[in-house]
Amino acid sequence: MISVHMHTKLLKNLRQGALSARANAFRGLTLAIASVGLAALLSGPSSAQMVQKIAAIVNDSVISGYDLEQRLGLVFATAGVPRTPENVERIRPQILRALVDERLQIQEALDKNIDVDDADIDQSIERLGGRSNMSLEQIQEFLQSVNVNVDTLRNQVFAELAWNELVESRFGPRVTVTDTEIDTVLERIINQSELASYLVSEVLVSVETPEDETRARAAAAQLVDQLRQGGDIRAIAGQFSQAPTAANGGDAGWIIDGQLSSALNSSLRVLKIGETSDPIRTVAGYHILQLRDRRLSGDQMDPMDATITIEAINIPFTEGMPRAKLERTGNAIGEALKTPMACGELESFAKKLDPNSRFSRIEDRAMRAFPAPARPALMELEVNKWGAPQRTPDGIELVVLCNRNMVERQLPSRNDIENQLFNQELAMMSRRYLRDLRRNAVVEMR
């Protein structure tokens, strides 16, 4: 089996000669995929059929059944969607379309002598892993555990980096953000500073032509279903979204009420925290919004903007403890709660209650950084007073609030606004570029 980059490499060599040493080194990684394919051919008829099957041909470059199955495995492993036969059949066409687009991007990038080295790929994968506190090695181990070849991820990252570099080098010099445009955005934000704002993640399924309408609408509906099943919007946005935020896992940041189009804004107003919208038709295509948080209007002090410092002790207390021990511990906790407790005294106090108690301190952490279920109890805390005791799997947790600091909201800088406008314009050019490549390509789906 000839892998994606090996096949593209042969075509490119015929036209322009040898690729750079770094590009050759990267494409050498795909030999591992070929090895896996050979092993599958030797292991039995079903595996051989899967590897030999052609899923699509893109300008004479083959996307094999193995390529498609590996990408399916990567999506299900990272998106948090259950791999049921129904979900596989729903998502397969979207994955194949993404692979076709990716092949077109790779071919165009190679044709324009764009190169990406291994260090850039490693750094990009490490950033992805950082969202889940996973190192590069842990990512590799995880993919192996779910039978996904790590080169499936590396090839996808290579395509993304190469395409981004191509688009920026070709169109970046043409994008100009004027001071007037920045002033307009900044003035709108100031004028709307008294309105509520929303922390939003998004997915965009673009509509390139009128004939593409039905496919895009169905694809967006399927993605909504996957998100409502518990799918991770960061992974789904990274795989399927055509919005500028796709590289950041769909994170659109804080959006002020009225900042988006009326259709998108109306949807945000009725969403509850954690909910995902229905597909929303805009000029660009179908948007999917997920509301992660909501802030009050600017004339109110939003407690969710606060940073807090807390101290906590966890006292062993389980049903398996001797009855006398349970009674002593319970009585000691009851007595303790009658006495105000200042921060700095908790650790020594905990050892008096039980030598096996565990002490912890969390300093200057944003309220929004705490898990949502814990926030209501934390918001009720008063300085140097006990919070309500909380059961944990192995004991009772007591918390004392040391301080709470309200944080004033900061307007975005002019540089932040300029980057946002630049990226929006570049993303629009990127979509048009890919649309033109699709129109001029010879693509055969099998």
Side-chain angles (χ1 to χ4, degrees):
M1 180 185 70
I2 299 178
S3 64
V4 45
H5 295 312
M6 296 300 292
H7 189 281
T8 309
K9 171 185 170 184
L10 293 175
L11 293 176
K12 180 133 178 100
N13 282 343
L14 289 174
R15 293 195 302 267
Q16 293 185 345
L19 292 167
S20 72
R22 286 188 301 170
N24 280 329
F26 173 79
R27 286 154 191 76
L29 291 169
T30 58
L31 290 173
I33 296 180
S35 299
V36 173
L38 179 59
L41 282 169
L42 297 175
S43 64
S46 60
S47 297
Q49 291 171 3
M50 183 269 287
V51 173
Q52 290 176 325
K53 180 180 178 181
I54 295 176
I57 301 176
V58 185
N59 293 331
D60 296 328
S61 177
V62 173
I63 297 175
S64 71
Y66 177 80
D67 297 329
L68 179 56
E69 291 302 318
Q70 281 285 292
R71 183 60 64 84
L72 276 166
L74 178 63
V75 171
F76 280 111
T78 58
V81 179
R83 181 162 185 159
T84 64
E86 295 77 16
N87 282 340
V88 169
E89 289 309 308
R90 281 203 299 263
I91 203 173
R92 191 187 299 273
Q94 299 177 57
I95 295 293
L96 183 55
R97 178 182 170 86
L99 284 172
V100 169
D101 286 348
E102 189 175 291
R103 192 63 55 88
L104 290 170
Q105 291 170 336
I106 290 172
Q107 291 171 353
E108 185 71 2
L110 292 176
D111 189 63
K112 299 297 187 292
N113 295 316
I114 298 297
D115 186 22
V116 179
D117 62 28
D118 288 348
D120 292 331
I121 295 168
D122 288 342
Q123 289 176 6
S124 183
I125 294 176
E126 285 174 345
R127 284 194 296 271
L128 290 173
R131 300 173 187 166
S132 303
N133 297 317
M134 296 177 69
S135 66
L136 181 61
E137 292 73 19
Q138 289 173 322
I139 292 173
Q140 293 171 340
E141 291 173 1
F142 168 72
L143 292 178
Q144 290 172 1
S145 72
V146 293
N147 298 317
V148 174
N149 194 297
V150 68
D151 286 325
T152 300
L153 176 59
R154 295 186 69 83
N155 283 342
Q156 182 182 7
V157 172
F158 170 84
E160 179 183 347
L161 294 178
W163 178 252
N164 288 343
E165 184 177 338
L166 171 61
V167 169
E168 186 161 354
S169 64
R170 180 166 182 172
F171 299 111
R174 306 182 193 178
V175 178
T176 301
V177 179
T178 66
D179 287 339
T180 301
E181 290 174 309
I182 297 173
D183 290 338
T184 299
V185 173
L186 192 56
E187 182 179 357
R188 185 176 70 240
I189 292 174
I190 293 172
N191 291 338
Q192 296 174 336
S193 63
E194 301 304 314
L195 301 175
S197 53
Y198 312 94
L199 184 59
V200 179
S201 291
E202 65 174 345
V203 175
L204 169 63
V205 181
S206 63
V207 178
E208 307 293 349
T209 64
E211 295 77 18
D212 198 34
E213 180 76 29
T214 300
R215 178 210 63 81
R217 182 171 59 249
Q222 290 169 9
L223 292 178
V224 168
D225 287 343
Q226 292 160 26
L227 289 166
R228 289 176 177 171
Q229 290 181 54
D232 186 343
I233 194 167
R234 296 171 300 178
I236 288 175
Q239 293 286 346
F240 300 111
S241 180
Q242 282 91 49
T245 56
N248 296 323
D251 185 2
W254 285 98
I255 304 296
I256 296 173
D257 193 359
Q259 185 174 342
L260 301 178
S261 67
S262 59
L264 295 174
N265 205 74
S266 297
S267 180
L268 276 179
R269 285 175 175 170
V270 300
L271 282 178
K272 297 178 181 178
I273 294 175
E275 283 188 340
T276 299
S277 72
D278 292 328
I280 307 162
R281 185 64 164 96
T282 68
V283 174
Y286 286 92
H287 278 268
I288 302 165
L289 304 179
Q290 190 173 91
L291 181 61
R292 290 152 47 203
D293 209 341
R294 178 185 281 107
R295 280 176 172 163
L296 302 176
S297 58
D299 60 351
Q300 303 178 57
M301 295 296 287
D302 191 341
M304 293 301 296
D305 287 335
T307 61
I308 64 173
T309 296
I310 59 174
E311 291 186 351
I313 56 175
N314 193 284
I315 303 165
F317 193 87
T318 62
E319 299 300 329
M321 293 172 61
R323 184 176 182 82
K325 172 72 170 174
L326 285 173
E327 290 180 354
R328 287 197 304 270
T329 303
N331 290 336
I333 292 173
E335 288 299 317
L337 294 176
K338 298 177 182 179
T339 306
M341 182 61 57
C343 282
E345 301 175 358
L346 209 62
E347 185 170 14
S348 59
F349 176 78
K351 294 304 179 183
K352 293 177 183 178
L353 279 178
D354 191 313
N356 295 316
S357 295
R358 296 194 308 274
F359 169 81
S360 60
R361 178 181 172 91
I362 298 175
E363 195 159 352
D364 293 332
R365 177 175 294 183
M367 182 67 75
R368 300 181 190 279
F370 287 93
R375 295 176 190 172
L378 291 173
M379 289 173 63
E380 294 177 359
L381 291 176
E382 298 180 42
V383 175
N384 290 335
K385 291 187 178 180
W386 294 104
Q390 302 291 324
R391 285 301 302 264
T392 69
D394 55 356
I396 301 290
E397 186 171 70
L398 302 178
V399 177
V400 171
L401 176 67
C402 301
N403 59 62
R404 178 185 282 112
N405 296 316
M406 299 304 297
V407 178
E408 292 186 8
R409 298 181 189 174
Q410 300 293 321
L411 290 174
S413 68
R414 295 183 66 85
N415 188 58
D416 290 338
I417 295 173
E418 182 179 8
N419 288 337
Q420 182 183 21
L421 294 173
F422 177 87
N423 289 333
Q424 288 174 351
E425 183 69 18
L426 204 62
M428 181 180 67
M429 292 180 172
S430 174
R431 291 196 296 271
R432 290 175 178 171
Y433 193 5
L434 182 57
R435 178 197 62 194
D436 292 342
L437 290 178
R438 289 195 198 106
R439 287 176 175 173
N440 296 326
V442 178
V443 179
E444 180 183 351
M445 301 289 196
R446 293 293 180 91

